[in-house]
Amino acid sequence: MYYAGFLRCIFDPLYPQVSNSVLLAHTKLTLRADGVVEIVCGDEVHYKRTHVEELNSGLEQLLGNSKACLLVLVGKHTSISKDGREYSATPEATRFSIAEAYVLQNMAQRIVGNFYIRMDKPPVPTRMFSHTNEAEKWFKKFYGTTGAGPEEL
């Protein structure tokens, strides 16, 4: 079902221009023209550490040694294991992140997300949101480090 969103990002003229993307079995990563990496998570995926490691390999393909703001669009029934969550908060797993914004779909995800921030303490600025536009506004704090100007975010 989330593939409809992928088609929207390719064909919708109002959607930011796609610069580059990586499609994994469980996630699509897109480097947008504004310098933000949009990560669309699979609807029914239970992410484990191996999934997060694959995601980081995809980020390396997109960014090389650079960093970017990561906009993570969580699927309706997306979840993460304890080992995946703990690994996600390590310096190794966040090496491509300037800041991470998670757009959540339900209360269970919000509880896990808030636990992640408070207990796992990711080393980069991290926030949970209900709407994409709120996350994009938050990224404006970091625009000087993404290479994009504030009008582009």
Side-chain angles (χ1 to χ4, degrees):
M1 179 128 138
Y2 65 94
Y3 289 106
F6 297 162
L7 294 175
R8 183 177 67 93
C9 75
I10 294 169
F11 297 112
D12 188 345
L14 299 176
Y15 200 82
Q17 196 61 261
V18 175
S19 302
N20 202 357
S21 64
V22 173
L23 183 60
L24 304 172
H26 47 78
T27 311
K28 181 172 183 190
L29 300 89
T30 303
L31 177 59
R32 301 183 340 189
D34 62 6
V36 171
V37 174
E38 185 173 284
I39 300 170
V40 180
C41 299
D43 264 346
E44 304 289 334
V45 179
H46 180 67
Y47 284 82
K48 298 176 184 167
R49 180 183 172 133
T50 55
H51 293 104
V52 179
E53 290 169 344
E54 290 172 9
L55 204 147
N56 273 341
S57 294
L59 286 169
E60 187 172 25
Q61 288 178 41
L62 284 178
L63 300 171
N65 291 325
S66 300
K67 293 184 175 199
C69 291
L70 306 183
L71 177 63
V72 183
L73 306 176
V74 178
K76 194 172 189 177
H77 302 288
T78 302
S79 60
I80 190 164
S81 67
K82 181 181 183 212
D83 67 324
R85 192 191 73 239
E86 289 172 347
Y87 176 72
S88 294
T90 64
E92 178 186 352
T94 57
R95 69 186 181 275
F96 300 106
S97 305
I98 294 169
E100 297 182 1
Y102 293 82
V103 180
L104 309 175
Q105 301 289 322
N106 59 53
M107 186 57 72
Q109 292 169 346
R110 184 163 295 282
I111 291 168
V112 171
N114 288 331
F115 183 86
Y116 171 68
I117 291 171
R118 289 189 181 105
M119 301 305 289
D120 296 316
K121 300 184 186 329
V124 297
T126 304
R127 284 197 53 195
M128 305 296 148
F129 296 92
S130 298
H131 303 287
T132 303
N133 62 338
E134 295 168 348
E136 291 172 332
K137 286 178 189 173
W138 181 66
F139 280 153
K140 289 183 181 182
K141 294 179 183 181
F142 308 101
Y143 79 87
T145 54
T146 64
E151 68 283 345
E152 295 173 352
L153 289 176

